[in-house]
């Protein structure tokens, strides 16, 4: 009897209590952020940023987010402890990149896994790089140059049911999107005036090789229920960073962070490139300045992966990945997740 109990406890030591995963950081031996979750080979793979344990001064250009490598994690079940597959890419192995390996994403096409990541080049300008592997767990080999025509941060790679892949990008302020309003880099570019349409994320189809944009990145329009563009002064709803696209019952959902008001919100469209109609909030503010998420279906349930700074006691650049179950209403709207009420 005693030995049976011991075996039971041993088997379950690798499992987390389901309620606990909704409140506690999933990964505690590293600081992790910006989780992009995908189901590959019947497991959840998490592609997060790896926050370093340093105390750089915080500013609006995001220099405190001074990351240099990536780890990949996988989970067999939503309540299993994530397996750390180790370092899968380091800035020193990316010829064009100098620093700040920010929020990544991954996609699979024809048996190859593609890892998309932003980094600053030696001139301090963000671009998006791509690396590939035959395994979703990496390690990933980077292309020597960044994706031609790419800029800003927070790539989201969405592969539609017909196999067409898209790359979405963008982030304001430290993410430099406002510096690309006229087709080239303007270090003095600013957000539009409050009464002007807000800047949207950018999108392009990816070519079949998954390493090139099919056309120049173009802006996605986000409008309100009356069809009017969201305005730059509408900080509760306008796009800031961290775009994520998923599909539910044939409808495209584009979700993102509102940045300085700290919400995760979403908009929907009949088409992957929009225009998207603003619908509402998904996640209320968490502890820490940034909020960043992904949405994935696994074994018939939907999950919101996100991060906060509870593990570090609220240090903005030392964040931890969390997960919460996500629920849709019968009309397709998403129920608000209250981070403190999970
Ligand atoms: O992790 C660095 C940056 O912070 C990300 O790229 C943004 O989305 C924000 O989470």
């Amino acid at each position: 009897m005693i030995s049976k109990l011991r075996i039971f406890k041993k088997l379950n030591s690798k499992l987390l209590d389901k309620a606990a995963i909704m409140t506690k950081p999933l990964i505690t031996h590293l600081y992790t952020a910006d989780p992009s979750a995908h189901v590959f080979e019947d497991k959840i793979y998490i592609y997060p940023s790896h926050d370093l344990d340093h105390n750089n001064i915080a500013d609006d250009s995001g220099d405190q987010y001074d990351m240099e490598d990536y780890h990949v994690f996988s989970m067999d079940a939503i309540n299993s402890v994530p397996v750390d597959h180790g370092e899968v890419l380091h800035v020193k192995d990316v010829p064009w990149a100098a620093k700040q390996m920010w929020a990544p994403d991954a996609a699979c096409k024809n048996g190859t896994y593609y890892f998309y990541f932003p980094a600053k080049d030696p001139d301090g300008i963000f671009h998006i790089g791509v690396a590939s592997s035959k395994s979703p767990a990496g390690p990933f080999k980077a292309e020597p140059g960044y994706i031609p025509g790419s800029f800003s941060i927070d790539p989201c790679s969405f592969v539609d049911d017909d196999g067409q892949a898209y790359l979405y990008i963008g982030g304001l302020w430290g993410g430099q999107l406002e510096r690309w309003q006229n087709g080239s880099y303007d270090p003095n570019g600013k957000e539009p005036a409050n009464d002007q349409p807000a800047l949207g994320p950018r999108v392009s189809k990816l070519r079949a090789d998954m390493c090139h944009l099919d056309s120049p990145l173009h802006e996605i329009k986000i409008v309100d229920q009356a069809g009017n563009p969201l305005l730059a002064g509408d900080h509760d709803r306008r796009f800031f960073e961290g775009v994520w696209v998923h599909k539910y019952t044939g409808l495209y959902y584009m979700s993102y962070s509102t940045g300085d008001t700290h919400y995760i919100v979403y908009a929907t469209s009949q088409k992957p490139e929009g225009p998207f109609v603003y619908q509402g909030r998904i996640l209320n503010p968490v502890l820490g300045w940034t909020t960043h998420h992904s949405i994935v279906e696994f074994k018939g349930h939907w999950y919101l992966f996100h991060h906060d700074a509870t593990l570090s006691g609220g240090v903005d650049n030392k964040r931890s990945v969390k997960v919460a179950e996500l629920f849709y209403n019968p009309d397709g709207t998403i129920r608000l997740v209250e981070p403190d009420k999970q």
Side-chain angles (χ1 to χ4, degrees), residues 25 31 53 286-289 308-320 322:
Y31 289 118
D53 192 0
V286 297
L287 183 66
W289 200 95
D308 72 13
T310 50
L311 186 64
S312 66
V315 183
D316 284 340
N317 61 293
K318 296 180 194 177
R319 300 162 291 179
S320 303
K322 291 184 162 183

Side-chain angles (χ1 to χ4, degrees), residues 90-102:
H90 193 282
V91 68
K92 66 177 165 38
D93 298 319
V94 184
W96 65 269
K99 61 178 185 174
Q100 281 169 284
M101 310 282 270
W102 283 13

Side-chain angles (χ1 to χ4, degrees), residues 75-148:
M75 300 165 81
D76 290 332
I78 195 63
N79 60 344
S80 62
V81 176
V83 173
D84 182 354
H85 294 279
E87 183 183 289
V88 297
L89 185 68
H90 193 282
V91 68
K92 66 177 165 38
D93 298 319
V94 184
W96 65 269
K99 61 178 185 174
Q100 281 169 284
M101 310 282 270
W102 283 13
D105 194 15
C108 178
K109 186 144 186 191
N110 298 333
T112 300
Y113 293 86
Y114 297 90
F115 183 78
Y116 300 93
F117 58 96
K120 277 186 179 167
D121 70 10
D123 296 324
I125 300 174
F126 269 118
H127 297 281
I128 310 297
V130 59
S132 60
S133 172
K134 283 291 172 194
S135 166
F140 291 91
K141 170 106 177 93
E143 294 293 310
Y146 57 77
I147 298 177

